[in-house]
Amino acid sequence: MVDVSQIDPILAKLNECYSGTPLQREKLELWSLLRDIAASLARGDVAELEVRALVTELAEGVAGQLAAHGKALSPERLADELLAAVKDAAARAAAERTAAVREKLRRASERTRGRREGLSLL
């Protein structure tokens, strides 16, 4: 079986929180929102303090929603766990972007080197 936490830490945390509830649509909406927040954090569009405030506000609503379906979670603990998942996803996104830039630079360097070698043959 695939370990979702290795692929998407946000989805893994939400799967854990929402298991046993009929709130799949809500889970997917929250997942999309948290992924967008993680991407913004990775790009540097938002500060970590802003992210913490957003996640804390979301966690309070989610904790209430889950409590209504028999899953009691502390909003503070949920906020901490969601924030950790968002930061992990942001770090992964930043690493992927860095790797992509390095690959583009490597390819450009190879093309330039190839052109120089071709010109030296003339």
Side-chain angles (χ1 to χ4, degrees):
M1 181 158 206
V2 176
D3 182 9
V4 177
S5 66
Q6 296 300 316
I7 300 168
D8 189 332
I10 296 171
L11 184 57
K13 178 47 61 185
L14 293 179
N15 282 343
E16 180 185 319
C17 293
Y18 280 89
S19 69
T21 70
L23 302 170
Q24 295 306 306
R25 184 176 54 94
E26 290 82 352
K27 177 181 82 171
L28 292 175
E29 288 174 2
L30 182 59
W31 177 53
S32 177
L33 184 58
L34 291 172
R35 284 186 54 193
D36 289 347
I37 291 170
S40 293
L41 181 61
R43 287 190 308 269
D45 295 342
V46 294
E48 189 175 326
L49 287 175
E50 293 173 291
V51 170
R52 180 178 297 278
L54 286 168
V55 170
T56 299
E57 187 176 329
L58 289 170
E60 290 171 0
V62 168
Q65 205 177 44
L66 292 172
H69 286 85
K71 291 198 82 163
L73 294 173
S74 157
E76 295 82 16
R77 181 174 174 208
L78 182 59
D80 290 343
E81 291 176 0
L82 289 176
L83 182 61
V86 166
K87 287 166 122 181
D88 188 9
R92 290 176 189 214
E96 288 171 6
R97 287 178 49 147
T98 300
V101 168
R102 285 186 178 145
E103 179 62 21
K104 284 181 182 181
L105 289 172
R106 186 189 63 75
R107 287 182 186 163
S109 176
E110 286 177 359
R111 281 194 305 271
T112 302
R113 189 176 315 123
R115 287 186 199 129
R116 276 192 242 135
E117 290 172 1
L119 289 175
S120 67
L121 295 175
L122 295 175

